[in-house]
Amino acid sequence: MTVEKLITDHIDIWSSALQTRSTAGRGSNGKIDLYGIKKLRELILELAVRGKLVQQDPNDEPASELLKRIAAEKAELVKQGKIKKQKPLPEISEDEKPFELPEGWEWVRLGFITNYGDCDKAEPTDADADTWIVELEDIEKSTSRLLNRVTFSERPFKSSKNKFNKNDVLYGKLRPYLDKVLVADDTGVCTTEIIPIKVYGNILPGYLRLLLKSPRFIAYANESTHGMNLPRLGTDKAINAVVELTAIAEQSRIVNKVDELMSFCDQLEQQSLTSLDAHQQLVETLLATLADSQNAEVLAENWARISQHFDTLFTTEASIEVLKQTILQLAVMGKLVPQDPDDEPASELLKRIEQEKTQLVKEGKIKKQKPLPPISDEEKPFELPVGWVWCRLANIAYVFSGSTFKSEDFNNESGAKCIKITNVGVNDFAHTNDYLPVDFLNIYSDSLVRCDDLLLAMTRPYISDGLKVCVCPNLYDRSLLNQRVCAIRPYHKSSFYYKYMSSETVLNIYQSRFNNSGLQPNLKMNDITELLIPVPPTAEQDRIITTIEMMSEICNQLKSSLQSAQQTQLHLADALTEAALN
């Protein structure tokens, strides 16, 4: 089977094998790996260096002759004083040969066919305004595309760099799994984390680039690094790497075929991304019609239209996340469940809360609250159903921020637990071991949180996935609250208030406030206490939470089925790759 047929016959597997790197949220496909296309790229490179990508020509000169010429060329360069005499490289053992090569090919050490590790240095005084300066960030990982072409006038340097010439292969030795390998199309200088490599015997630089980008070489490089935080491929390890060599004529055919097939992969990748984006846009547009429904009848019609295409619409984790967020938005707008005219209106609940607050102030358990500003119609983000009421968050909850503790007060062994801003994520509490002296529980009693309090990050309170708000877990009951974290304790216990804080409405309120101002997101207490919150009748709150939980379970089942189907596609892509190599 030709490679072209292998690709075209299984195009559905290559393009549909997707992998979600982490929970995709709010319409972003940026966290989706096109796993099938990635495997296809790896397969093309692996077939190329194994001699399985193009047909061999019996008229080609065998690689053994090329090696003889390289030996003669290097001997002459030594004689002329242009290079130093190289120490003999160890013989290649049978154990170092991972597979059998085609006839006419040879196994060879990288240090024999290149000058790896031997390059001239450049100082700032050697560069002029137009000198090309290459840093690692200029090269895109995996694709090795050049992202930026920067000159010395734009990015002057102060320390030594490596010089390179046109057609040198630039290899990023730092974190070799990033797979940054470029053929220089001009002279310049580069960071010392990039090794300029020259080839002997007229070996094609493009062919050497393929060798260095092959999955087998990348795996070898990753296993051969030194340094934990900044792993680098050592020079000796690189020189002793065993690579595949073929005739110059076949190198040319291989490079051309790889370029052709990688171009096809680029097109396939672009089509897949465009399709994913279009699909996500369709999902978001259709679900937006639900939130925009003017009444229950229109909502039912819109939902019926969407439910007819449920199986084709919700086929990615991102689309399922948007569905969950839409359900939540419908809930907080009073559109998820029907209103019951017999329900006690929310105004009665607010009266009881006000009475409770007055009693708590009288008992000295809370401080008397400053009057909150009246609510204008312009502030209200949407119209509420009959029986619901808009109020400020401080009308229905006790809100307080944490205390400032010194770094030397903390330990990670025992004492009173402390909740920091780093504990608070988007609907997620990150457990840590941060303790303060036990006597701080009395000294800072105003900063004690209870389980089920809502916790809100006050600095950078949101990310692309949503507002950093979560519920305080049972394990952290009576913990101390650190600075820049806010605790919200509703007087009326209900999950509805947490659902509202997690909704698009609150996220949009805070995002619009800071995005328009150009300020770093940094909430003040007034931003929280004066936040508008819709309060439904108590009975309706219970119905809303029950319905949200039921529909969330459906979404979770959808996601589970999708993940199972994705795993099948990933296994198919792996199996297809394995079959092609063997």
Side-chain angles (χ1 to χ4, degrees):
M1 181 185 290
T2 65
V3 177
E4 286 85 352
K5 188 168 176 56
L6 177 72
I7 293 173
T8 54
D9 284 2
H10 303 286
I11 197 81
D12 57 328
I13 293 176
W14 302 122
S15 57
S16 62
L18 308 175
Q19 192 172 40
T20 307
R21 291 198 291 273
S22 61
T23 304
R26 300 176 190 268
S28 170
N29 282 321
K31 296 177 181 176
I32 292 179
D33 273 330
L34 301 178
Y35 183 84
I37 299 174
K38 177 184 173 185
K39 293 297 290 185
L40 179 57
R41 290 185 190 276
E42 291 176 359
L43 176 61
I44 291 167
L45 289 169
E46 195 63 38
L47 290 173
V49 300
R50 289 189 183 209
K52 295 184 176 184
L53 191 64
V54 299
Q55 285 190 331
Q56 276 74 48
D57 186 338
N59 296 317
D60 285 344
E61 174 189 72
S64 56
E65 294 301 312
L66 175 56
L67 290 176
K68 290 177 185 176
R69 286 203 306 279
I70 290 173
E73 178 186 341
K74 290 171 72 176
E76 181 61 27
L77 290 170
V78 170
K79 190 176 179 181
Q80 295 173 9
K82 293 182 178 179
I83 64 171
K84 294 178 182 179
K85 187 174 182 180
Q86 187 177 33
K87 293 179 182 178
L89 294 170
E91 290 288 325
I92 298 173
S93 66
E94 290 301 315
D95 291 341
E96 291 180 278
K97 302 173 183 178
F99 47 81
E100 190 175 338
L101 290 174
E103 189 174 346
W105 286 53
E106 294 287 343
W107 288 107
V108 63
R109 295 204 185 274
L110 183 65
F112 184 77
I113 62 172
T114 73
N115 73 332
Y116 192 101
D118 182 17
C119 64
D120 294 328
K121 296 296 180 182
E123 301 302 327
T125 52
D126 299 325
D128 57 38
D130 296 327
T131 299
W132 180 21
I133 314 294
V134 181
E135 298 288 344
L136 276 170
E137 63 262 28
D138 297 334
I139 305 172
E140 188 174 45
K141 67 178 183 179
S142 299
T143 67
S144 294
R145 296 186 187 105
L146 186 65
L147 299 173
N148 301 299
R149 187 180 285 268
V150 185
T151 62
F152 182 74
S153 62
E154 299 168 300
R155 188 167 60 197
F157 61 92
K158 296 180 180 179
S159 56
S160 296
K161 299 284 184 183
N162 288 338
K163 280 185 180 179
F164 62 83
N165 295 314
K166 183 177 181 180
N167 291 326
D168 281 357
V169 177
L170 306 182
Y171 176 73
K173 69 173 182 177
L174 178 66
R175 298 190 179 96
Y177 55 83
L178 296 177
D179 185 17
K180 298 187 175 189
V181 193
L182 187 73
V183 177
D185 61 4
D186 202 350
T187 59
V189 300
C190 59
T191 170
T192 53
E193 301 292 3
I194 294 176
I195 304 297
I197 311 172
K198 299 184 191 302
V199 287
Y200 297 116
N202 293 322
I203 290 172
L204 299 184
Y207 179 73
L208 175 62
R209 176 178 177 271
L210 298 184
L211 291 176
L212 300 178
K213 286 184 68 65
S214 70
R216 191 181 70 82
F217 185 86
I218 293 172
Y220 169 84
N222 286 332
E223 292 166 1
S224 307
T225 56
H226 59 271
M228 290 292 290
N229 296 326
L230 297 170
R232 296 175 176 87
L233 175 61
T235 301
D236 288 342
K237 287 287 188 179
I239 288 172
N240 285 290
V242 176
V243 295
E244 308 88 336
L245 188 66
T246 185
I248 301 294
E250 186 167 357
Q251 290 179 30
S252 180
R253 294 196 298 273
I254 288 171
V255 170
N256 290 336
K257 178 56 71 174
V258 169
D259 287 346
E260 175 192 325
L261 293 174
M262 288 300 181
S263 178
F264 178 80
C265 288
D266 290 342
Q267 295 173 30
L268 194 60
E269 186 175 278
Q270 190 55 53
Q271 288 171 6
S272 297
L273 290 173
T274 301
S275 176
L276 283 168
D277 285 340
H279 171 265
Q280 190 67 13
Q281 188 63 46
L282 175 63
V283 169
E284 292 179 6
T285 302
L286 288 174
L287 289 177
T289 64
L290 298 180
D292 293 339
S293 301
Q294 295 302 309
N295 53 53
E297 290 75 18
V298 176
L299 175 62
E301 291 173 9
N302 290 333
W303 178 253
R305 191 179 304 114
I306 290 173
S307 61
Q308 290 174 2
H309 307 285
F310 213 75
D311 293 341
T312 54
L313 283 174
F314 304 105
T315 55
T316 64
E317 290 193 31
S319 62
I320 295 170
E321 285 299 317
V322 176
L323 175 60
K324 289 176 74 172
Q325 194 58 228
T326 302
I327 291 166
L328 182 57
Q329 191 60 30
L330 290 170
V332 301
M333 294 175 75
K335 296 181 178 181
L336 189 64
V337 301
Q339 278 72 49
D340 186 339
D342 294 331
D343 286 344
E344 177 191 70
S347 56
E348 294 301 314
L349 170 62
L350 291 181
K351 288 178 185 176
R352 287 197 298 275
I353 288 174
E354 197 56 40
Q355 290 170 357
E356 179 185 345
K357 287 166 64 179
T358 302
Q359 183 60 34
L360 289 171
V361 169
K362 191 176 180 181
E363 294 171 0
K365 293 181 178 179
I366 64 171
K367 294 177 182 177
K368 188 174 182 180
Q369 183 178 292
K370 292 179 182 178
L372 293 165
I375 299 170
S376 66
D377 288 338
E378 291 75 21
E379 283 183 276
K380 298 173 183 176
F382 48 81
E383 189 176 341
L384 293 179
V386 174
W388 290 46
V389 178
W390 281 112
C391 70
R392 304 281 182 191
L393 183 59
N395 287 134
I396 57 100
Y398 174 51
V399 184
F400 62 97
S401 59
S403 298
T404 302
F405 303 110
K406 297 176 182 177
S407 57
E408 56 264 30
D409 292 332
F410 287 95
N411 74 85
N412 56 8
E413 293 179 0
S414 63
K417 277 186 173 292
C418 181
I419 295 174
K420 296 181 175 180
I421 195 167
T422 49
N423 294 110
V424 183
V426 179
N427 297 316
D428 179 58
F429 185 93
H431 295 273
T432 54
N433 290 321
D434 291 306
Y435 296 98
L436 291 165
V438 174
D439 59 353
F440 278 25
L441 292 172
N442 293 323
I443 299 171
Y444 297 97
S445 57
D446 288 346
S447 297
L448 285 177
V449 296
R450 299 177 189 166
C451 62
D452 295 332
D453 283 355
L454 305 186
L455 305 173
L456 175 64
M458 296 177 70
T459 297
R460 295 188 183 91
Y462 54 81
I463 55 176
S464 60
D465 281 354
L467 194 70
K468 292 181 184 176
V469 61
C470 64
V471 176
C472 178
N474 292 338
L475 192 62
Y476 287 76
D477 189 44
R478 287 186 54 78
S479 292
L480 290 161
L481 199 62
N482 200 13
Q483 61 181 336
R484 305 311 301 155
V485 187
C486 172
I488 302 166
R489 185 177 299 157
Y491 296 106
H492 168 238
K493 296 296 181 185
S494 172
S495 298
F496 177 83
Y497 307 117
Y498 173 51
K499 297 298 183 185
Y500 177 70
M501 293 297 295
S502 305
S503 71
E504 291 277 0
T505 297
V506 178
L507 178 66
N508 291 339
I509 287 172
Y510 288 138
Q511 278 185 330
S512 61
R513 179 172 303 175
F514 292 108
N515 290 354
N516 295 337
S517 68
L519 300 172
Q520 174 182 294
N522 207 14
L523 295 178
K524 298 176 182 176
M525 280 302 289
N526 283 356
D527 296 324
I528 302 167
T529 58
E530 295 177 12
L531 177 71
L532 252 61
I533 186 163
V535 182
T538 304
E540 188 170 346
Q541 290 188 33
D542 294 338
R543 294 197 299 273
I544 288 171
I545 296 304
T546 299
T547 305
I548 288 176
E549 289 174 353
M550 178 188 70
M551 298 189 82
S552 292
E553 180 58 31
I554 294 171
C555 289
N556 291 337
Q557 290 172 8
L558 267 176
K559 185 179 284 190
S560 179
S561 298
L562 172 64
Q563 289 171 341
S564 178
Q566 282 184 343
Q567 280 300 117
T568 301
Q569 291 294 90
L570 298 184
H571 291 322
L572 283 172
D574 288 340
L576 196 56
T577 303
E578 192 67 26
L581 291 174
N582 296 326

